[in-house]
Amino acid sequence: MADFFEALNQEHIDFIKRQPMFFVATAAADGRINLSPKGDDTFRVINQNRCAFLNLSGSGNETDAHLKRDGRITIMFNSFDKKPLILRLYGRGSCAVHGSPVFEESKTLFPDIPGARQIMFIDVESVQTSCGFAVPEMELVRQRPVLRRYAEAKGQEALVEGWRTKNVKSIDGFDTVLGEAMK
């Protein structure tokens, strides 16, 4: 059964801290719906109604474009261990791009991960828990080191150039906040 809450409680926060990955879903009124898996140590609960995640360099920038265009965001965590649970955060999001005052002020919330492109903030409007009985039980082997190695090998200057050429528009052609910041 699903239960709704107006804010995160300590049990929710503890559950989030134990999860090695989460999923981000965003959409605009038109275009594709985006759903992205995220890992590494990139999610933080700031308070009961505000969270953030570190967005790393990648192939696209859909979350940024959708938040700029619409603002809605859903974050989902699910347990893959013996005790099943799914936890969703529904809210509104915003983006702070690398080098901006908000990014620089907030980056200390996270470990220094090469390729950090943005910090996405979520103002949580509601929290939902549900059983997760159909989610498989699995074991984490490790976080993949590939993206970190890629970012380290490229270097910051090449990463920024990649953002400029590949991350200023979504796959549907929507502008990103990152694109505005790079003008």
Side-chain angles (χ1 to χ4, degrees):
M1 292 297 204
D3 292 310
F4 281 91
F5 305 84
E6 292 181 8
L8 290 163
N9 62 38
Q10 192 59 51
E11 188 176 328
H12 300 145
I13 294 168
D14 293 342
F15 174 76
I16 288 170
K17 287 178 181 178
R18 290 191 306 270
Q19 302 318 303
M21 70 177 296
F22 59 99
F23 299 86
V24 177
T26 56
D30 53 343
R32 294 168 180 90
I33 297 169
N34 186 57
L35 177 61
S36 296
K38 305 290 183 184
D40 221 331
D41 185 18
T42 58
F43 194 88
R44 294 294 180 270
V45 174
I46 298 170
N47 63 45
Q48 292 180 311
N49 287 100
R50 189 154 170 87
C51 299
F53 69 90
L54 191 62
N55 200 30
L56 305 176
S57 293
S59 55
N61 202 6
E62 304 311 296
T63 303
D64 177 339
H66 288 163
L67 293 181
K68 180 181 185 309
R69 195 167 174 95
D70 183 89
R72 294 174 300 145
I73 188 167
T74 300
I75 306 291
M76 185 181 80
F77 296 90
N78 44 270
S79 170
F80 295 104
D81 62 20
K82 291 194 184 299
K83 185 177 179 188
L85 181 68
I86 297 171
L87 185 141
R88 291 179 183 90
L89 308 177
Y90 300 99
R92 311 286 300 170
S94 61
C95 173
V97 300
H98 185 276
S100 70
V102 175
F103 180 95
E104 294 302 315
E105 176 183 302
S106 303
K107 72 181 182 182
T108 58
L109 294 169
F110 305 95
D112 185 19
I113 299 176
R117 182 176 60 193
Q118 297 133 313
I119 298 174
M120 305 300 190
F121 294 93
I122 303 102
D123 291 318
V124 177
E125 296 171 344
S126 66
V127 177
Q128 178 196 26
T129 59
S130 57
C131 67
F133 292 163
V135 175
E137 186 177 327
M138 300 185 292
E139 290 184 25
L140 175 67
V141 174
R142 66 181 173 135
Q143 292 285 349
R144 295 181 194 271
V146 178
L147 192 57
R148 282 182 187 230
R149 287 183 191 151
Y150 169 81
E152 288 168 349
K154 284 290 257 189
Q156 189 65 26
E157 192 173 307
L159 287 172
V160 170
E161 185 55 32
W163 301 342
R164 191 180 327 281
T165 59
K166 297 177 183 173
N167 296 150
V168 297
K169 297 264 185 196
S170 74
I171 57 178
D172 290 314
F174 303 148
D175 292 332
T176 65
V177 174
L178 181 66
E180 289 177 3
M182 301 199 96
K183 287 181 182 175

